[in-house]
Amino acid sequence: DDARSRTRRRRRGDGAGHQSDREASARPDRADASARWRRLERDATTTLGTRDALSKRTLGADDGGYEWLRRACDDVAEDVVRGVIEGGGEWSREDGMVGFDLTAATTAAARRGGEAPNATCGAAIAHRATTNPMFLRAAFERLVRDGFDGDEARAKESAAWGWIRGAIAKRSSGGDRADAARAKRMAKTEDDGTADVAERAREATRVRVSTFVERGRELLAIERAREMEMAAETAVDREDVEDVDDESSGFVSEESSEFGAAVSGLRLVGATRGSDGKALLVLRAADGEAIAVNSLTVGDRVTISAYGDEFASADESADGGAATFSSEATVRFMGDALNATAKGRYGDASSISLEYADDEQALARALSGLEICLSRAPDETTYERQARALDILESIPAVKRSKPACLRVVKTIFSEDRPAMWRDARDFYGGDGAGFAAVPTKSLKRVDAQSLATKTSFDESQVLALRAAASTNYPVVCIQGPPGTGKTSVVVEIIAQAAARGERVLACAPSNLAVDNLVERLDGVTDVRAVRFGAPERISAAALSCSLDAKVSEATELFFQTQRVESSETSTKLRALMDRYQKATNVPKKQREKLQSEIEALKKKLKTTVSAGTKHRKASQAKILREANVVLATNAGAGMDTVQQLPPFDLVVVDEAAQASEPLSWIPLVRGRRAVLIGDPCQLAPVVRSLEAVEAGLARSLMSRLMPAPEYLDDEDDGWNARAYASSGVLTLTLSTQYRSHETISSWSSREAYGGRLRAAESVRGALLRDLPGVQDTQITRIPMLMITTRSPYGRIPAECNERRVGGSYINEGEATTAAAHVLMMLKAGVRASDIAVISPYAAQVRLLRSVLAVALEDVEGADAVEISSIDSFQGREAECVIISTVRSNARRGVGFLSDNRRMNVAVTRGRRHVTIIGDDKTIMGDAFLRRLVEHIEANAAAVIPRVDLFAPVAAT
């Protein structure tokens, strides 16, 4: 009957029949058009030579190229959003707006705007890596404004935003034809009812992973474009690069905004060679002062720029004042390589030494007499390894014939019960709300409560963490370690116990400092055979002996020593024979031929010796890696080909996991059968330079995505007992006893960041400065927390205590002098200089503090041991007395970077016995979180005093 009805409708020529015919006839045209646009997109990628988003400068910031392309994307976004809001036709379809093609729409809109201002932006019309983020940004802004009255949260969760993003993701991930074929296959399996349930689940996982990865690629491209922009800006600008607007973005660290901050005013003073024979160029400040190295560290790749008419005339840049070398150099020393001394990794330095791989003599001649600027170059290697890790991740669910080692990890993290979404991370917890249930402790694997590494005992929550990490029925374990809870000891023990069980472990962390710490703690532990991967200049001296290079050198030392002796003897014989051959002009032919034969034999022997050395080195390296059961590297270092080609690991341990972006975490995770993530989402987040990428979710770590918020956990007790919670294969727990800070310090952090679940150990609960040997009992040394407000008792702010913007940062001269006076008072009370740390969220304030304290404490013996650092750099460290300069003081009560709760949580929890906060209490209390901190200080037998009362009244015994 249905068939006859359709036939009658076609014969009548009614609307339905005609529409069906029109759709059928339109399909070939749509397919042809789609193929043309795809060819244009491929041609654009080839022409532009990159698959990554083009920066504003590349598109043409000066000639209007960037604005021309942006307006085209804005016009398309306006049409799309209007269509989606109003509905009807293709815009209302939930299958991703099948008829929409961004390249076609952008091309049409661009033509209406006139000719392309330059060839680059003309080609970029079809460059999806560039147009995708432009269109999505414009579409979201219009959707928020026109469809949701400015409510960003509702817009992000709306079906309309899902349709728009889905259309872009589908087109980017294979085209309409591939999507239609996939939809057809899925529909067939559902209709037939005969498809294997496992196959459907695998396909669903593949789709979730693919969608997530595609968005991750876009965010990486946005971040990379921002890094390139910052590097380009500082390469031609000797002043501080303009900071991001911290009032609007308070989450992004100032150190990340100083990514491209140039170290300028340098001169070439000499060249030398390192112990390894590599060429080094030594630079010093032209004014003879110490060099403020900003965020540069040993091992960084830098771009060299030179300034001066002589140089500019030879290779003049676009702005007419700077020329940038295309070749890059590596920071080898922060100190004087000419005198074989090095300052260290951080802080100011007397000189900077660069390792240069090309013709250093030519470069030295070109730089002679010119002012030199160094700016950190974008880290191409890390970007490429993250992109490759996402490619591997996307391929895992699609594998049918074999099961990749990390398949359980991937299936667990991308379980259908757990939303896989990129979200803004500017909350303490970013868990996606999967249901967690308490796990009986007896169901977890039993372990020894005594440490294999230190022979000490662990507390209840630490033992629970060890049991969780050893339980193979949970592919992913997340262990939150609040400040002072012994997280590093737990990490080391997890690795040691896994090695004792015969497992192979890959242990990683985002920073070289954290990896080296693990190497040093594992040194000498029974059953641990550790190898550290990484460039030698980035590895600490204490951990260098465990590096792969050092182990290979040690293993081959005797062989090459013998080989050098043999080669020397062979070379001596060869030279003697060659001398005889040259002098043998009147000897018989046979004798000359014999000499020639002997010479060729010795040359062949030398060549064989070199070849044997290469083979022996490779064999030794293979043997070391085969025998090693613990491999350590940074997250990015785990992407080295040597590591990726090793057999899969039984366990991957990522320390400081909350400081690694999700793409960075996947580099090691794709190499392991199980994963343990250890860190603290309530401390500093991953460093991301692009505010757009932060808001889109790149700054949210994988650990933050998996961890539940405390309020979502169903506690049946008072919250003090150690408990673990599970959800779809992910097991989570929190270390609950801290051994660092006085109870007044830790109780604020416990309440604000950890749901009241963090308690102070009996050994530190009442520890004060006055309890230290040689420290006097004063009103300051007998209190754990102090607030020094820069306002007068009458509520006024002295002129010197107002914040002042310097380049892209802030300083407060009044706070710097107050900090110096407070440090001097502590030293007079008997507190050791090495027990005091002065920290601030702003890099410019840190530099000011160093100069002010250097003058104020010039006559105090040993005062240079006072630590002065940024909050970000001081994470993971501690001091008996911590002084925090908050800097901000303004009428609008803007607190800038302090509005990121995690940063202040890090700052306050660095102190063991005493924490002093210096700042404008009115400005600080303009933020609700910081207001509660000040109220906590007032309510817990501590003190809030005006700056003018700092000396006599409070210091009295």
Side-chain angles (χ1 to χ4, degrees):
D1 292 340
D2 291 340
R4 286 195 295 270
S5 298
R6 286 196 296 272
T7 301
R8 284 195 297 270
R9 284 198 300 271
R10 284 197 298 271
R11 287 174 179 172
R12 286 199 310 266
D14 61 11
H18 277 302
Q19 183 176 354
S20 178
D21 293 340
R22 286 195 301 271
E23 288 179 353
S25 63
R27 289 189 193 112
D29 293 338
R30 177 178 294 175
D32 291 343
S34 179
R36 288 197 300 272
W37 297 123
R38 302 297 75 75
R39 283 196 298 273
L40 277 177
E41 291 170 4
R42 290 193 295 272
D43 292 344
T45 300
T46 302
T47 301
L48 297 171
T50 180
R51 295 179 179 271
D52 302 319
L54 301 180
S55 67
K56 182 177 180 180
R57 185 182 298 274
T58 303
L59 289 170
D62 298 330
D63 62 7
Y66 171 78
E67 287 299 322
W68 178 80
L69 185 58
R70 185 189 61 79
R71 283 196 300 269
C73 291
D74 284 351
D75 292 344
V76 176
E78 182 178 7
D79 292 341
V80 169
V81 171
R82 184 188 302 113
V84 170
I85 292 174
E86 295 175 358
E90 64 186 16
W91 305 111
S92 62
R93 298 167 69 170
E94 297 186 21
D95 56 6
M97 306 185 314
V98 170
F100 175 70
D101 190 294
L102 180 59
T103 299
T106 306
T107 302
R111 286 173 180 168
R112 293 194 297 269
E115 294 295 325
N118 59 64
T120 299
C121 66
I125 297 174
H127 194 242
R128 293 300 295 272
T130 299
T131 56
N132 276 7
M134 281 188 176
F135 165 77
L136 288 173
R137 181 167 56 247
F140 183 71
E141 290 173 354
R142 290 189 177 276
L143 185 65
V144 171
R145 184 190 65 192
D146 300 340
F148 293 91
D149 297 326
D151 191 335
E152 291 189 5
R154 286 177 55 215
K156 284 182 180 180
E157 300 296 331
S158 68
W161 180 235
W163 298 342
I164 294 171
R165 287 185 56 190
I168 300 302
K170 285 184 178 182
R171 180 64 264 150
S172 300
S173 60
D176 297 332
R177 190 174 301 173
D179 293 327
R182 181 165 60 249
K184 186 176 180 180
R185 289 196 304 269
M186 293 295 288
K188 184 177 185 302
T189 58
E190 292 174 1
D191 293 340
D192 293 344
T194 58
D196 185 11
V197 173
E199 173 63 19
R200 291 202 300 270
R202 185 191 65 80
E203 178 66 9
T205 302
R206 190 196 66 77
V207 172
R208 282 195 298 274
V209 173
S210 180
T211 302
F212 188 82
V213 165
E214 184 60 34
R215 181 56 173 158
R217 291 193 186 102
E218 293 176 0
L219 298 182
L220 277 179
I222 293 170
E223 172 70 357
R224 187 188 188 206
R226 177 58 181 151
E227 288 185 357
M228 295 176 69
E229 285 179 0
M230 295 176 74
E233 288 168 359
T234 53
V236 298
D237 186 358
R238 282 167 284 182
E239 301 300 325
D240 285 335
V241 64
E242 185 67 14
D243 196 4
V244 295
D245 181 6
D246 57 89
E247 295 302 330
S248 63
S249 69
F251 171 77
V252 183
S253 121
E254 193 203 24
E255 292 195 344
S256 73
S257 72
E258 288 197 345
F259 162 78
V263 179
S264 59
L266 305 177
R267 299 278 180 180
L268 179 68
V269 296
T272 184
R273 289 197 173 270
S275 57
D276 54 4
K278 294 182 179 178
L280 300 177
L281 300 174
V282 183
L283 310 177
R284 287 184 180 150
D287 58 8
E289 298 294 328
I291 304 169
V293 297
N294 297 329
S295 58
L296 287 184
T297 63
V298 171
D300 282 343
R301 296 289 291 172
V302 293
T303 300
I304 307 172
S305 304
Y307 300 87
D309 294 337
E310 177 186 353
F311 189 89
S313 63
D315 186 11
E316 194 168 3
S317 67
D319 69 346
T324 305
F325 289 85
S326 58
S327 297
E328 298 175 353
T330 302
V331 178
R332 185 72 177 272
F333 292 107
M334 294 292 191
D336 195 346
L338 291 177
N339 296 326
T341 60
K343 175 78 176 181
R345 293 188 180 207
Y346 307 103
D348 296 348
S350 59
S351 68
I352 296 178
S353 300
L354 305 179
E355 179 184 310
Y356 191 71
D358 297 331
D359 186 355
E360 76 280 1
Q361 295 301 325
L363 177 61
R365 287 192 296 271
L367 295 177
S368 178
L370 301 178
E371 182 180 342
I372 300 168
C373 172
L374 303 179
S375 59
R376 181 185 288 167
D379 192 343
E380 298 289 337
T381 301
T382 298
Y383 171 79
E384 290 169 0
R385 289 175 180 174
Q386 290 181 91
R388 184 170 62 178
L390 290 180
D391 291 342
I392 296 172
L393 171 61
E394 186 177 28
S395 70
I396 297 300
V399 177
K400 293 183 179 180
R401 295 186 178 180
S402 62
K403 290 186 177 181
C406 64
L407 182 60
R408 286 184 69 207
V409 172
V410 173
K411 291 174 67 175
T412 297
I413 292 175
F414 289 93
S415 167
E416 61 181 355
D417 299 329
R418 182 177 295 104
M421 302 177 66
W422 295 92
R423 290 183 177 177
D424 195 337
R426 286 176 286 185
D427 291 316
F428 266 30
Y429 289 89
D432 281 337
F436 281 82
V439 174
T441 302
K442 62 182 180 182
S443 67
L444 302 178
K445 185 179 180 67
R446 289 190 172 275
V447 298
D448 193 343
Q450 188 177 42
S451 171
L452 295 176
T454 62
K455 306 305 179 185
T456 58
S457 297
F458 291 103
D459 65 37
E460 181 186 7
S461 65
Q462 292 171 337
V463 171
L464 182 64
L466 298 176
R467 296 182 66 173
S471 299
T472 57
N473 50 331
Y474 292 99
V476 180
V477 176
C478 294
I479 302 171
Q480 182 175 16
T485 54
K487 174 184 66 67
T488 303
S489 298
V490 171
V491 176
V492 171
E493 189 64 20
I494 288 173
I495 297 171
Q497 292 192 7
R501 292 192 297 267
E503 298 181 17
R504 293 178 62 254
V505 182
L506 173 60
C508 298
S511 68
N512 282 286
L513 194 63
V515 177
D516 289 343
N517 190 27
L518 293 179
V519 172
E520 294 169 25
R521 298 281 289 270
L522 287 168
D523 187 29
V525 176
T526 306
D527 296 325
V528 172
R529 299 180 299 278
V531 175
R532 165 75 156 100
F533 278 80
E537 62 268 16
R538 290 180 176 265
I539 300 176
S540 68
L544 196 58
S545 61
C546 285
S547 69
L548 180 61
D549 288 345
K551 286 182 174 291
V552 170
S553 296
E554 182 181 1
T556 58
E557 181 179 4
L558 182 60
F559 175 87
F560 282 108
Q561 184 177 356
T562 303
Q563 192 182 62
R564 281 192 294 271
V565 173
E566 294 177 353
S567 296
S568 177
E569 293 175 353
T570 303
S571 298
T572 302
K573 292 179 181 179
L574 178 60
R575 285 193 296 271
L577 283 175
M578 293 181 68
D579 288 342
R580 286 178 56 190
Y581 182 81
Q582 290 175 355
K583 295 176 181 178
T585 55
N586 297 321
V587 298
K589 181 179 179 181
K590 287 186 177 180
Q591 190 173 348
R592 282 179 61 84
E593 289 177 348
K594 182 180 179 182
L595 286 174
Q596 180 68 37
S597 177
E598 291 177 357
I599 288 172
E600 294 299 326
L602 288 176
K603 287 182 177 179
K604 184 176 181 180
K605 183 178 180 181
L606 283 175
K607 187 176 181 180
T608 302
T609 300
V610 173
S611 177
T614 302
K615 290 180 179 179
H616 183 73
R617 180 177 290 277
K618 289 182 177 179
S620 298
Q621 177 173 304
K623 182 174 184 293
I624 290 169
L625 294 177
R626 188 168 56 251
E627 294 177 350
N629 58 3
V630 178
V631 172
L632 299 106
T634 61
N635 287 34
M640 297 172 60
D641 290 339
T642 309
V643 178
Q644 292 289 311
Q645 291 166 4
L646 292 174
F649 293 88
D650 300 300
L651 180 66
V652 174
V653 178
V654 181
D655 190 17
E656 304 292 359
Q659 293 186 51
S661 66
E662 184 151 348
L664 194 63
S665 296
W666 279 111
I667 296 176
L669 291 182
V670 296
R671 301 297 305 144
R673 296 184 174 88
R674 292 192 300 121
V676 175
L677 307 179
I678 308 178
D680 187 3
C682 297
Q683 297 189 58
L684 295 178
V687 174
V688 176
R689 280 97 188 179
S690 167
L691 180 58
E692 179 182 356
V694 168
E695 293 174 340
L698 187 60
R700 184 170 74 150
S701 66
L702 175 60
M703 184 176 185
S704 296
R705 181 158 77 86
L706 299 178
M707 287 289 294
E711 57 266 26
Y712 295 145
L713 300 179
D714 183 18
D715 274 342
E716 298 178 357
D717 51 35
D718 59 3
W720 292 122
N721 294 332
R723 304 190 69 179
Y725 299 84
S727 171
S728 302
V730 174
L731 186 65
T732 69
L733 59 97
T734 300
L735 303 180
S736 57
T737 303
Q738 66 88 16
Y739 300 87
R740 175 186 295 167
S741 302
H742 187 282
E743 187 174 30
T744 299
I745 300 171
S746 65
S747 62
W748 169 80
S749 176
S750 174
R751 184 179 64 253
E752 292 292 338
Y754 306 104
R757 290 173 170 79
L758 183 63
R759 57 182 171 183
E762 188 65 35
S763 58
V764 301
R765 186 171 297 170
L768 296 168
L769 286 176
R770 67 181 181 183
D771 301 326
L772 291 172
V775 176
Q776 302 172 17
D777 182 6
T778 71
Q779 289 189 17
I780 290 182
T781 61
R782 69 171 68 116
I783 57 176
M785 299 188 79
L786 172 67
M787 170 79 193
I788 301 176
T789 175
T790 53
R791 286 187 179 267
S792 70
Y794 307 102
R796 296 178 180 177
I797 286 286
E800 69 272 16
C801 292
N802 282 314
E803 67 183 45
R804 185 158 61 89
R805 193 173 180 89
V806 177
S809 190
Y810 286 91
I811 64 171
N812 189 310
E813 295 169 325
E815 286 191 18
T817 57
T818 302
H822 194 50
V823 168
L824 186 60
M825 183 180 298
M826 289 293 185
L827 294 173
K828 289 181 177 178
V831 180
R832 295 186 305 175
S834 58
D835 288 337
I836 301 173
V838 184
I839 59 179
S840 175
Y842 290 94
Q845 182 73 359
V846 171
R847 292 192 288 269
L848 177 63
L849 286 165
R850 286 174 180 162
S851 62
V852 170
L853 264 71
V855 174
L857 306 179
E858 184 177 7
D859 298 329
V860 179
E861 184 178 356
D864 56 353
V866 174
E867 180 78 21
I868 305 172
S869 176
S870 68
I871 294 174
D872 294 41
S873 297
F874 206 64
Q875 176 163 316
R877 303 168 65 189
E878 60 188 53
E880 300 290 351
C881 171
V882 171
I883 301 169
I884 306 168
S885 172
T886 60
V887 179
R888 305 311 295 270
S889 178
N890 52 74
R892 64 185 182 281
R893 297 189 179 184
V895 296
F897 295 116
L898 291 177
S899 64
D900 177 13
N901 298 351
R902 285 173 288 195
R903 181 162 286 105
M904 204 61 188
N905 182 41
V906 169
V908 172
T909 55
R910 298 309 93 195
R912 293 175 58 86
R913 299 168 183 266
H914 180 89
V915 173
T916 292
I917 298 173
I918 302 174
D920 175 5
D921 61 328
K922 297 297 183 184
T923 296
I924 291 175
M925 293 180 73
D927 180 86
F929 174 78
L930 298 176
R931 181 177 65 251
R932 293 195 297 272
L933 172 59
V934 176
E935 291 172 348
H936 175 82
I937 295 174
E938 292 176 327
N940 286 273
V944 176
I945 63 172
R947 174 174 176 260
V948 295
D949 293 345
L950 176 61
F951 301 99
V954 178
T957 301

